[in-house]
Amino acid sequence: MFRFNDRIAVAVSGGKDSLNLLHILSKIEKDFPKSSLCAVTVDEGIRGYRDEAIRIAAENCEMLGVEQITVSFKEIYGYTLDEIVEKTKNKGLTPCAYCGVLRRRALNIAARKANADKIATAHTLDDELQTFLLNLFHGDPYRTIRSGPSFNLENQQLTPRVKPFCEVLERESVLYAYVKSIKFQETPCPYAGEALRNDMRIYLNRLEEKHPGIKYTLYRSIEKIREAMAIRIEETKLRPCRICGEPTTSEICQVCEMLAELK
Ligand code: SF4
């Protein structure tokens, strides 16, 4: 996932997974003098939730001596997530649908600001399985190709992404944070309950309880499916969005489509 001289931007939200990743990578990175590490944090603007997470993320960065770059939805898009949720109340999409798309773009903007070669995100094995099922349920199976553990579309505007925890179970990540006494935000996002992802989490955990190891088996199957579909990647041609100029597969990117809905 990494080269010896990479500048790595770790996506740090303030939750346990991203802080674990920051702690582990900052330890490993010390053995590679030509590499460097920074943290990138996105402030989505979620009242009563994100402020605490950003404070905890900043405390961890300071303790580890890692530079932190923060960008916000408000400064990039003109709206906080709370404002977007208010404006789109009856439009059918969940807060997470907006948040996911807008945060991905914001992270990329932050990584460019940081001059990073790679963005490292702390998606766990559980996140990967949930995402795979969500893509199926949303009728977008080809998205699976673009959500692998290491993804690079070779576009100068898009910083390649890697997921070093893609084979780590979420419960192991929780355990690690407690064993290492890493301070992380424990309050869940107020919008999380609305997400289909939550149902996937419960369903997969029940399966794993009844059939230990099934999460790994599913992950291996996804790897094979991804490999078999890799040919489609050739067809994923990127071009600049007609409105904002950011890379996209369609004429107008998803971010601009969402922002147009808010006007
Ligand atoms: Fe965003 Fe949804 Fe995660 Fe909250 S739970 S931070 S709204 S993606």
Side-chain angles (χ1 to χ4, degrees):
M1 290 185 185
F2 300 110
R3 290 168 57 85
F4 70 99
N5 56 355
D6 270 344
R7 174 155 173 78
I8 304 161
V10 187
V12 175
S13 64
K16 60 179 180 343
D17 302 330
S18 65
L19 286 170
N20 285 345
L21 183 62
L22 184 70
H23 279 254
I24 291 170
L25 285 182
S26 90
K27 194 170 163 192
I28 296 173
E29 188 265 335
K30 288 193 175 56
D31 292 335
F32 295 86
K34 291 194 172 165
S35 70
S36 64
L37 198 72
C38 65
V40 287
T41 301
V42 177
D43 178 2
E44 299 94 345
I46 305 172
R47 216 172 304 117
Y49 167 69
R50 200 33 108 206
D51 296 348
E52 188 196 19
I54 289 175
R55 185 178 46 75
I56 294 172
E59 283 169 11
N60 276 274
C61 288
E62 207 186 314
M63 192 179 97
L64 296 168
V66 173
E67 176 198 3
Q68 185 187 23
I69 292 135
T70 304
V71 293
S72 72
F73 277 15
K74 186 76 177 174
E75 85 194 46
I76 299 176
Y77 307 119
Y79 304 97
T80 63
L81 185 67
D82 286 336
E83 288 165 350
I84 293 172
V85 171
E86 192 54 39
K87 275 178 169 284
T88 55
K89 248 181 190 162
N90 302 315
K91 296 208 170 148
L93 284 184
T94 61
C96 295
Y98 290 99
C99 187
V101 170
L102 300 178
R103 190 178 40 204
R104 212 169 312 127
R105 169 71 56 83
L107 263 184
N108 200 54
I109 290 173
R112 284 205 303 248
K113 250 188 180 176
N115 274 324
D117 300 301
K118 302 264 165 66
I119 301 176
T121 65
H123 292 96
T124 60
L125 178 80
D126 295 70
D127 294 322
E128 293 301 284
L129 302 184
Q130 292 155 18
T131 303
F132 173 73
L133 293 178
L134 283 172
N135 290 338
L136 291 187
F137 288 124
H138 287 144
D140 191 3
Y142 295 117
R143 191 173 279 269
T144 301
I145 314 170
R146 304 196 294 271
S147 57
S150 169
F151 187 67
N152 181 11
L153 261 179
E154 300 204 347
N155 180 294
Q156 282 195 335
Q157 297 274 87
L158 280 182
T159 308
R161 282 165 189 249
V162 293
K163 301 176 182 175
F165 284 175
C166 63
E167 295 193 26
V168 174
L169 288 168
E170 192 180 343
R171 65 175 181 205
E172 289 176 356
S173 179
V174 183
L175 184 64
Y176 185 85
Y178 281 117
V179 168
K180 293 286 179 183
S181 303
I182 292 172
K183 196 176 167 215
F184 62 89
Q185 188 187 36
E186 297 187 48
T187 325
C189 171
Y191 300 123
E194 295 179 38
L196 182 57
R197 183 177 284 278
N198 227 17
D199 298 332
M200 297 297 117
R201 173 178 292 117
I202 295 166
Y203 168 69
L204 285 164
N205 284 344
R206 274 198 197 136
L207 272 180
E208 179 70 25
E209 228 170 77
K210 265 183 111 173
H211 311 278
I214 205 164
K215 285 185 181 175
Y216 281 108
T217 318
L218 177 57
Y219 187 75
R220 295 290 167 241
S221 297
I222 296 170
E223 282 184 319
K224 286 178 192 150
I225 293 170
R226 191 177 286 126
E227 224 177 275
M229 291 199 304
I231 188 86
R232 292 280 303 220
I233 201 89
E234 308 294 320
E235 295 162 26
T236 316
K237 291 261 180 304
L238 288 181
R239 50 181 152 160
C241 165
R242 197 157 54 78
I243 298 173
C244 69
E246 291 283 337
T248 175
T249 46
S250 4
E251 204 184 331
I252 295 174
C253 73
Q254 242 184 325
V255 169
C256 286
E257 276 176 5
M258 284 183 166
L259 293 178
E261 269 182 49
L262 303 175
K263 293 200 174 126

